[in-house]
Amino acid sequence: MTFLAFLFILISLVTFVAAQLILKRAMEFSATHGMRNSYFTSRVAIGVVLMTVSFFLTLGLLQRFDLSYLYPFQGLSVIFITVLAAVVLKEKLSVRLTIGALLITAGIVLVSMS
Amino acid sequence: MRGFDRALEKRMQNRPPGFGNPWLQLGVSVVCVLASELLLKRGASEVAAPDDALSWTGINGLASPLVWWAILLIIASFITWLYVLRYIPLSLAYPLSRVVDILVPLGCWIFLGELISTLRWCGIALVIFGLALVAQPIAKMEERL
């Protein structure tokens, strides 16, 4: 894998994780304040833009690598999102959930290495 | 753990019934992602131009009709995912949604003819074990509701 491919995979991953956190915050906000407000629409718009960037980078990468090889890199997003949901969104993490997320991540990385 | 369970249980008591069930919507989202990933790979391969520097952006993939079908499915999965996020904590919903990471290699094996090595099968087994750990408290909570 070239440095460029690694860089694109990394940017794709970071934009995807950031989008998930922003969208979750927006949906939590909509549950109490509704959807017709600038906070909700701006957060969803930012989330959509970040996911679109991630999507097109993935599409470019798909032209060069097998899907079953490339896609599991997104598996790393499991542990990033689980931990960041606890840190940023203040969600409660149980030991079981953390171990489960770690196993899922390890499994996905194993799949991507093979 | 108990606090987490109670907060989720309380939210789930007010969930919409039938098709509006957030767990069902999570399943719909996963199926849409699975189908879109397989269509994207086929579509991207159809129009692959590795020598073209612009192709790193993936824009040339839009020339394939399969990519457009995939985009429709991605939009559908996005809408269902937003709905899921309204009810289920991200730290729970996201690991569960990664069941797609088992389904994609299996789909590649069945529909795209890609091979699955022994190591990859071991990875798939680990993911299943992790998913079972995450899903077990949810199954117990659903029994109570």
Side-chain angles (χ1 to χ4, degrees), chain B residues 67-132:
Chain B
V67 169
W68 284 101
W69 280 112
I71 289 172
L72 281 180
L73 282 167
I74 288 166
I75 292 170
S77 76
F78 180 70
I79 293 167
T80 53
W81 180 245
L82 284 185
Y83 182 83
V84 167
L85 287 184
R86 197 164 183 177
Y87 292 93
I88 306 175
L90 184 61
S91 55
L92 193 58
Y94 191 72
L96 285 177
S97 75
R98 296 337 289 172
V99 68
V100 82
D101 287 315
I102 305 174
L103 298 176
V104 167
L106 291 177
C108 291
W109 179 48
I110 296 166
F111 299 112
L112 302 180
E114 293 177 14
L115 290 174
I116 300 183
S117 65
T118 313
L119 198 60
R120 192 165 282 175
W121 281 118
C122 292
I124 289 171
L126 267 185
V127 174
I128 292 173
F129 194 55
L131 284 171

Side-chain angles (χ1 to χ4, degrees), chain A residues 10-26:
Chain A
L10 190 68
I11 297 172
S12 167
L13 188 60
V14 169
T15 48
F16 184 79
V17 170
Q20 292 299 325
L21 294 169
I22 290 168
L23 289 171
K24 174 62 180 168
R25 187 159 271 181

